[in-house]
Amino acid sequence: MRSRIEDVAAAAGVSMKTVSRVLNNEPNVRDEMRQRVMAAVEKLQYRPNLSARSLAGQRSYVIALVYNNPSRNYLMEIQSGMLDACRDNHYNLVLAPVGAPKQRKADDLKVVFEHFSPDGVVLIPPLTDDPVVLEFLESHDVPFACIAPKHPSDRIGVMMDETAAVLELIEGLVAQGHRRIAHIKGPPAHGACQWRYKGYKDALRKAGLDYDADLVVQGAFSFESGIEAGDRLLDLSAPPTAIFAANDDMAAGVIRAACERGLAVPRDISVCGFDDTPIARHIYPALTTVRQPTSEMGRLATLQLLARIRADDGGCMVHVEHEVLFRESTQPPAKR
């Protein structure tokens, strides 16, 4: 028979209200009391009834991941981290795709709240800075956390210094001997596009290399746009010796474009990306990239959101560290 909250309270020698406070991670519960309750929960294998909790606390115990991002790999990593945080805090997660047209964004959000009534939402780029989405959430007094917002000072969530990460990556390419380094940008609406582009330009300037507009092409953070952008760069009369794509999906597309021409990576062209999503490790050659802890960022953003749900002044902006990983897709350029 399934254990009830009354059973946990009796086993721990506390009130049902105390058990509820512990399970909801509410503050001002003594550590000794929290440990007693959690020991009883574990012993009885108690699992909260989300429907009952919702009725009792006027919460849905649901949070929504609101997204419109073409990178499935990035989305899956964020989702994985959010699920970990939801599981630990007895919440459910729903995925809420929001369309591109302005009117549809608001309509899509209305549908999410009509069907699921989430207690709050986590936003990922580009929606983390979308004025229609932000206005809807703020006007309806919905708690939200942002991943990589352009203006973090008045937000809660998580971010990383992406400009510094790219600067370090390009410096590594320069150290290998590359002087003609191309860049495939992400969509302009993404803060990531601007930060990574700035890191690229800063690195060129620091290395004393001239900026060449022909070596910068627009992408869309998708595998297909990486193929198209890679073809444009490889068609140049003086092609680059290295290509930095603003995410791993586009970098994988560049490798595909190079292979279709009979070029070998990295012998004929070095390629690197950003994010260290699973595709970076699964393709051949393994991709040189910047690791941002994407799954952990999803988990941390969820924790900040839950803190805000529980208290109006809860949550903060968490900063995480990056790591530059040089793998088999880059090497010193061949002499031409």
Side-chain angles (χ1 to χ4, degrees), residues 9-330:
V14 300
S15 67
M16 288 190 293
K17 183 176 180 180
T18 298
V19 174
S20 178
R21 291 176 62 198
V22 170
L23 293 177
N24 289 329
N25 284 336
E26 293 183 11
N28 303 320
V29 178
R30 297 197 312 273
D31 287 342
E32 180 268 336
M33 191 76 72
R34 192 181 300 276
Q35 290 171 10
R36 279 166 54 191
V37 170
M38 293 310 298
V41 166
E42 186 67 24
K43 179 180 179 181
L44 297 174
Q45 296 185 319
Y46 172 72
R47 296 294 177 267
N49 185 316
L50 291 178
S51 297
R53 290 173 71 204
S54 178
L55 290 172
Q58 294 185 328
R59 291 181 183 172
S60 64
Y61 292 92
V62 169
I63 62 172
L65 169 56
V66 174
Y67 68 94
N68 181 6
N69 191 299
S71 174
R72 293 190 184 97
N73 287 289
Y74 177 83
L75 180 62
M76 289 175 62
E77 289 286 290
I78 292 292
Q79 178 184 336
S80 174
M82 291 185 66
L83 284 170
D84 286 343
C86 286
R87 189 180 304 113
D88 290 343
N89 288 274
H90 310 293
Y91 260 76
N92 286 323
L93 174 66
V94 297
L95 302 184
V98 170
K102 289 184 178 180
Q103 186 58 42
R104 186 178 166 190
K105 287 175 186 174
D107 289 343
D108 286 349
L109 284 169
K110 288 177 184 176
V111 170
V112 172
F113 281 87
E114 287 171 359
H115 288 183
F116 302 106
S117 300
D119 295 336
V121 304
V122 170
L123 301 174
I124 64 173
L127 297 183
T128 195
D129 298 301
D130 188 280
V132 174
V133 173
L134 295 176
E135 193 280 330
F136 179 94
L137 297 175
E138 289 169 349
S139 64
H140 289 80
D141 199 26
V142 176
F144 63 93
C146 297
I147 293 179
K150 292 180 184 176
H151 307 291
S153 59
D154 58 345
R155 302 290 182 215
I156 66 168
V158 61
M159 64 182 305
M160 188 184 82
D161 190 342
E162 301 184 27
T163 298
V166 173
L167 177 64
E168 184 180 338
L169 174 66
I170 302 301
E171 284 181 336
L173 293 176
V174 172
Q176 287 184 339
H178 293 281
R179 297 295 179 267
R180 194 160 172 78
I181 304 169
H183 176 44
I184 304 175
K185 299 171 66 177
H190 283 251
C193 169
Q194 300 173 24
W195 297 322
R196 296 172 195 183
Y197 180 45
K198 183 178 186 302
Y200 167 77
K201 291 191 296 182
D202 288 352
L204 294 183
R205 183 165 52 251
K206 186 175 180 180
L209 299 176
D210 292 334
Y211 176 88
D212 185 344
D214 289 340
L215 293 180
V216 178
V217 297
Q218 187 65 56
F221 277 164
S222 65
F223 177 79
E224 293 76 15
S225 71
I227 296 175
E228 182 179 348
D231 281 333
R232 286 181 57 188
L233 291 168
L234 295 171
D235 280 340
L236 292 173
S237 57
T241 62
I243 298 175
F244 160 55
N247 78 342
D248 293 338
D249 285 19
M250 293 194 298
V254 172
I255 292 177
R256 170 69 177 267
C259 290
E260 288 179 343
R261 294 165 177 257
L263 299 177
V265 177
R267 184 193 65 200
D268 301 312
I269 180 75
S270 287
V271 180
C272 50
F274 196 109
D275 287 330
D276 196 35
T277 50
I279 194 173
R281 303 181 293 278
H282 294 167
I283 61 173
Y284 180 81
L287 189 63
T288 291
T289 188
V290 172
R291 173 181 291 165
Q292 65 170 339
T294 312
S295 179
E296 177 67 1
M297 291 172 79
R299 189 185 74 85
L300 290 172
T302 303
L303 293 179
Q304 301 316 304
L305 173 62
L306 293 175
R308 176 57 55 90
I309 290 170
R310 291 164 181 151
D312 290 340
D313 60 350
C316 62
M317 182 56 64
V318 179
H319 294 261
V320 296
E321 298 298 322
H322 69 269
E323 182 181 2
V324 176
L325 302 170
F326 275 85
R327 297 192 178 113
E328 292 88 349
S329 68
T330 53

